[in-house]
């Protein structure tokens, strides 16, 4: 009995440790990206270049243990047709999400960017309806209206709003919504499910290529012409390592708990980011209307998550058990479905 109690306590401790690790890494990565892009000390205002570095770093960390050291294996079943029709669109949308989301930090505060991200379920649902993956209902229409109203109230309460930053952030939201739709199609219609390492192994190089082309024409000339930016290898490599660790932490949390836990942790993380950013960054000034609107939006997001989880649970009871596929987390976004946490 004593051994069983100790084992239970140890498992509980490990579970909560993983949850705290996820919240810390997810929040910290957002602040880290903002600091790297905005800090005069680092002087690296190149979101495209930073995101490209993240993808190259993730590609190397996946390829080395799988292809060079051969200490890990990826699931079989990947074909050229699946790669072209599914992986490339997912990689392209993932690249778009990170690029535009990180660019938004140059124009708007971390807190406001986080509030705008709350609109994600609306974008996912609307695109899902258009793709035939979701069905419009009065309940979902009400939930989407609550989320949209909350985001509008939060935006109205923003003191210094930059519409350029809003456009970039909304572009990132659309990219993430499209990525989730492609993942849904990838899993449902292709029937192939991959764990996070396998997904990163296939998607990261594709995203890196999708980022390299625009970087070559949009940011590389600026970096060469300006000549004042300073590349700090330790700071940027640590930033990339944190991004990779964040993606792995999602897998650890889900493997020890459930999709519901990671979604609840995502909501907690979002509030942590909003409140801490007001203390860490001078460009963040929260108002009562900001917080009220965000609270309304988060209430809608919670209702959406509850609806999706009940829907998934009912599906599991009628289908055969299957291994869960976990999408990769974007460093610019989070509270999107357990993706939100995912690839």
């Amino acid at each position: 009995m004593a051994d069983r109690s100790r084992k239970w306590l140890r498992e509980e401790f490990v579970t909560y440790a993983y949850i705290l690790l996820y919240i810390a890494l997810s929040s910290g990565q957002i602040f880290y990206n903002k600091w790297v892009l905005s800090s005069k000390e680092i002087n690296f205002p190149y979101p495209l270049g930073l995101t490209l570095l993240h993808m190259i770093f993730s590609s190397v960390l996946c390829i080395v243990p799988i292809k060079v050291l051969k200490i890990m294996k990826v699931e079989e079943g990947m074909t050229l047709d699946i790669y072209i029709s599914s992986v490339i669109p997912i990689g392209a949308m993932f690249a778009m999400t990170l690029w535009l989301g990180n660019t938004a930090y140059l124009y708007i505060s971390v807190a406001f960017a986080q509030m705008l991200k709350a609109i994600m379920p609306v974008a996912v649902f609307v695109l899902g309806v258009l793709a035939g993956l979701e069905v419009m209902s009065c309940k979902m229409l009400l939930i989407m209206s609550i989320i949209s109203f909350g985001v509008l109230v939060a935006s109205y309460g923003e003191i210094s709003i930059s519409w350029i930053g809003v456009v970039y952030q909304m572009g990132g939201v659309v990219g993430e919504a499209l990525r989730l739709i492609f993942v849904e199609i990838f899993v449902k219609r292709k029937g192939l499910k991959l764990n996070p390492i396998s997904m990163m192994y296939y998607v990261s190089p594709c995203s890196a290529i999708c980022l390299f082309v625009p970087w070559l024409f949009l940011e590389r000339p600026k970096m060469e012409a300006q000549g004042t930016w300073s590349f700090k290898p330790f700071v940027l490599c640590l930033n990339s390592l944190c991004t990779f660790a964040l993606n792995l932490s999602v897998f650890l949390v889900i493997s020890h708990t459930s999709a519901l836990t990671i979604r609840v942790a995502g909501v907690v993380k979002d509030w942590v980011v909003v409140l801490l950013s007001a203390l860490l960054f001078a460009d963040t000034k929260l108002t009562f209307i900001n917080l009220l609107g965000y609270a309304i939006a988060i209430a809608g997001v919670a209702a959406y998550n509850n609806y999706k989880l009940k829907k998934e649970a009912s599906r599991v009871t009628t289908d055969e058990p299957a291994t869960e596929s976990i999408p990769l987390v974007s460093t610019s976004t989070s509270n999107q479905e357990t993706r939100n946490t995912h690839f």
Side-chain angles (χ1 to χ4, degrees), residues 271-328:
W271 276 106
V272 169
V273 170
V274 168
L275 297 177
L276 280 183
S277 63
L279 301 175
L280 297 176
F281 299 105
D283 65 345
T284 301
K285 291 180 175 59
L286 297 177
T287 65
F288 174 75
I289 298 179
N290 271 147
L291 296 176
L292 176 63
Y294 189 52
I296 294 172
I298 288 298
V301 171
Y304 172 79
N305 285 340
N306 181 61
Y307 174 85
K308 293 292 290 184
L309 287 168
K310 286 183 178 179
K311 185 177 178 180
E312 291 167 8
S314 63
R315 187 187 307 155
V316 169
T317 57
T318 57
D319 296 341
E320 294 181 3
T323 303
E324 184 174 8
S325 175
I326 306 167
L328 178 68

Side-chain angles (χ1 to χ4, degrees), residues 13-27 253 265 268:
F13 175 79
V14 171
T15 298
Y16 283 108
Y18 283 143
I19 293 173
L20 290 175
L21 177 65
Y22 160 71
I23 293 175
L25 285 173
S26 186
S27 305
V253 172
V268 174

Side-chain angles (χ1 to χ4, degrees), residues 196-270:
I197 294 294
S198 298
M199 186 62 92
M200 283 191 286
Y201 170 77
Y202 288 117
V203 173
S204 293
C206 176
S207 296
I209 294 174
C210 292
L211 290 166
F212 178 75
V213 175
W215 174 81
L216 208 57
F217 295 98
L218 297 178
E219 283 191 355
R220 183 170 175 267
K222 294 180 183 178
M223 296 171 75
E224 291 180 344
Q226 210 165 15
T228 57
W229 65 281
S230 55
F231 185 90
K232 297 183 182 296
F234 175 77
V235 172
L236 296 177
C237 287
L238 181 60
N239 182 265
S240 300
L241 182 61
C242 289
T243 301
F244 185 79
L246 171 60
N247 293 327
L248 291 183
S249 72
V250 175
F251 171 70
L252 291 174
V253 172
I254 293 182
S255 64
H256 283 77
T257 56
S258 66
L260 173 60
T261 303
I262 195 70
R263 287 175 179 177
V264 172
V267 172
V268 174
K269 181 270 300 180
D270 289 341

Side-chain angles (χ1 to χ4, degrees), residues 67 117 142 148 154 160 166 180 189 202 215 252 269 318:
K67 288 297 184 180
K117 287 177 190 175
L142 175 61
S148 301
S160 55
V166 171
L180 290 172
R189 299 184 182 176
Y202 288 117
W215 174 81
L252 291 174
K269 181 270 300 180
T318 57

